[in-house]
C-alpha cells in the first residue's frame, strides 16, 4: 500500500484560514507525480463493500457510476487517479482538515471549486443518486446536499447527519448490523446495497421500495450484546499502529469503534491515553 508523503498529510499544512490551507493543499496535489487509480488507492472493509455496490445497482436495473466524496480531493469518479494522501473531516484526528463543522464546510466548498469533477447537483441532473455518507461527511457536504435536494432529484441519502429537504434520507441503523454483517465502518454502504435489493421498479425513491425496505428492516432489527476480549496495553498500541497505517484518515474515536467492532475491549479513556502515546512514538 502506497503511503502519503509528509506534504500530503493534512497535519503538515500551515496555520491560517481554511481557504488558505485548502489552496496550499491543492498546490501540493498538483505537484505530486505518483498517481494511483482511486479504485486501488482506498483500502478497508468499507471500500470492499462500496466496490460491490455497482453490481447491486446493476442487478436493480441501473447503469451505475461510482463517485467518491473525498476530504482530500472533492467529488471524484472512481476512475480518476490521485496521489496517496491523508486528510479527513473526522474531528480530533491529526489529519483533520478543520476543527469544526464550519471549517469542514468551507474546506469542501473550496476544494470542490478547485478540484471537484462534478457537484451532487450535476449528478442529480444526470440520473438517480444513491449516497452513503457518515455523519461528519454529511455535515461537510451540507451545501451540496441542499443543492441536490432543491432540484427535486431522484436521490436517497443513507446515513448523513440530518434530514435534507428534497432528499429521501435513511439514517444509519446500528441494529441492522447483525442482519447485514460486517463492522459499523461499512454499515451505511451495506444498508445502501440492501436498499438496492428492494428496488423492484427501477426507481430509488419509489414508495414501494421504501415500504419494502422498512418492512424488512423492522424484522431484521436486533439490539447487540457484547462480550469483548480484553487486551494488554501493548496489544492495544499494536492495533493502533496497524490500523493507522491501513486507515490513515480514521480518527481516534473511529479506531476505538473499529477495535470494539472486532470484539475487543478497551475502555475509552484508556484507549485515548494509549492512542496519544502511540502517536508520540511515531
Amino acid at each position: 500500500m502506497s503511503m502519503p508523503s509528509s506534504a500530503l498529510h493534512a497535519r503538515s499544512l500551515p496555520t491560517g484560514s481554511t481557504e488558505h490551507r485548502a489552496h496550499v493543499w491543492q498546490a501540493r496535489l498538483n505537484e505530486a507525480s505518483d498517481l494511483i487509480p482511486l479504485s486501488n488507492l482506498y483500502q478497508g472493509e468499507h471500500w470492499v463493500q462500496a466496490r460491490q455496490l455497482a453490481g447491486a445497482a446493476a442487478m436493480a436495473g441501473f447503469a451505475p457510476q461510482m463517485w467518491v466524496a473525498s476530504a482530500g480531493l472533492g467529488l471524484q469518479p472512481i476512475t480518476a487517479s490521485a496521489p496517496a494522501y491523508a486528510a479527513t473531516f473526522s474531528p480530533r484526528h491529526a489529519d483533520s482538515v478543520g476543527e469544526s463543522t464550519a471549517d469542514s464546510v468551507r474546506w469542501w466548498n473550496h476544494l470542490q471549486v478547485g478540484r471537484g469533477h462534478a457537484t451532487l447537483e450535476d449528478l442529480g441532473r444526470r440520473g438517480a443518486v444513491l449516497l452513503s455518507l457518515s455523519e461528519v461527511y454529511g455535515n461537510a457536504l451540507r451545501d451540496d446536499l441542499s443543492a441536490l435536494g432543491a432540484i427535486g432529484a431522484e436521490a436517497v441519502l443513507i446515513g448523513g447527519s440530518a434530514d435534507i429537504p428534497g432528499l429521501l434520507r435513511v439514517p444509519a441503523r446500528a441494529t441492522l448490523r447483525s442482519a447485514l454483517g460486517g463492522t459499523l465502518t461499512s454499515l451505511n454502504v451495506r444498508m445502501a446495497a440492501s436498499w438496492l435489493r428492494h428496488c423492484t421498479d427501477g426507481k430509488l425513491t419509489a414508495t414501494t421500495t421504501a415500504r419494502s425496505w422498512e418492512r424488512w428492516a423492522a424484522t431484521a432489527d436486533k439490539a447487540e450484546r457484547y462480550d469483548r476480549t480484553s487486551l494488554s496495553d501493548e496489544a492495544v498500541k499494536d492495533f493502533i499502529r496497524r490500523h493507522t497505517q491501513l486507515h490513515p484518515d480514521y480518527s481516534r474515536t473511529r479506531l476505538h469503534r473499529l477495535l470494539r467492532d472486532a470484539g475487543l475491549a478497551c475502555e475509552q479513556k484508556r484507549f485515548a491515553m494509549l492512542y496519544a502515546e502511540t502517536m508520540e512514538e511515531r
Side-chain angles (χ1 to χ4, degrees):
M1 181 178 65
S2 180
M3 299 298 292
S5 67
S6 59
L8 287 179
H9 278 82
R11 70 188 73 180
S12 71
L13 287 169
T15 57
S17 69
T18 301
E19 290 76 8
H20 173 65
R21 288 161 51 83
H23 178 77
V24 172
W25 178 259
Q26 291 176 69
R28 293 179 180 182
L29 287 173
N30 291 336
E31 292 170 359
S33 57
D34 187 12
L35 305 184
I36 304 167
L38 297 189
S39 57
N40 297 329
L41 183 60
Y42 300 118
Q43 307 292 323
E45 183 199 5
H46 173 88
W47 286 104
V48 170
Q49 295 301 317
R51 284 191 285 268
Q52 294 178 4
L53 266 182
M59 290 185 65
F62 298 97
Q65 294 181 339
M66 186 174 174
W67 288 71
V68 179
S70 162
L73 305 172
L75 189 60
Q76 302 287 331
I78 195 66
T79 53
S81 296
Y85 67 92
T88 181
F89 291 123
S90 298
R92 297 179 299 280
H93 188 282
D95 289 309
S96 179
V97 298
E99 298 180 354
S100 66
T101 294
D103 287 342
S104 294
V105 172
R106 284 192 291 267
W107 174 279
W108 174 261
N109 291 342
H110 196 282
L111 198 61
Q112 275 290 85
V113 170
R115 297 193 64 87
H117 277 210
T119 65
L120 294 181
E121 181 181 348
D122 294 333
L123 300 187
R125 294 188 185 281
R126 298 177 194 176
V129 178
L130 177 61
L131 296 154
S132 173
L133 296 175
S134 67
E135 181 177 354
V136 291
Y137 279 71
N139 281 328
L141 273 65
R142 67 185 184 191
D143 290 346
D144 259 9
L145 290 168
S146 294
L148 176 63
I151 65 172
E154 182 188 348
V156 176
L157 170 60
I158 307 292
S161 59
D163 292 344
I164 303 291
L167 295 185
L168 174 58
R169 176 175 176 245
V170 183
R173 202 152 155 175
T175 52
L176 293 177
R177 194 178 68 151
S178 178
L180 295 175
T183 67
L184 288 176
T185 302
S186 67
L187 176 63
N188 286 356
V189 73
R190 289 175 183 270
M191 285 177 61
S194 173
W195 186 271
L196 287 167
R197 288 193 290 271
H198 287 81
C199 287
T200 56
D201 58 1
K203 188 173 176 62
L204 279 179
T205 56
T207 301
T208 53
T209 297
R211 287 176 177 171
S212 175
W213 189 87
E214 285 293 349
R215 284 195 298 269
W216 167 81
T219 62
D221 270 336
K222 182 179 180 182
E224 296 185 334
R225 297 178 62 185
Y226 299 100
D227 184 16
R228 298 187 175 97
T229 302
S230 191
L231 296 176
S232 67
D233 285 0
E234 188 53 40
V236 173
K237 293 171 78 170
D238 181 61
F239 178 95
I240 293 169
R241 293 186 197 100
R242 287 186 290 109
H243 285 83
T244 50
Q245 288 185 334
L246 286 171
H247 311 288
D249 65 331
Y250 278 19
S251 66
R252 185 196 74 208
T253 301
R254 195 169 183 185
L255 285 174
H256 187 219
R257 186 186 308 138
L258 189 65
L259 180 140
R260 291 166 63 85
D261 288 347
L264 304 173
C266 182
E267 190 268 333
Q268 187 173 2
K269 289 184 179 179
R270 175 173 167 244
F271 187 88
M273 178 191 70
L274 294 173
Y275 178 87
E277 291 178 4
T278 306
M279 294 299 102
E280 289 176 2
E281 294 168 2
R282 292 177 63 177

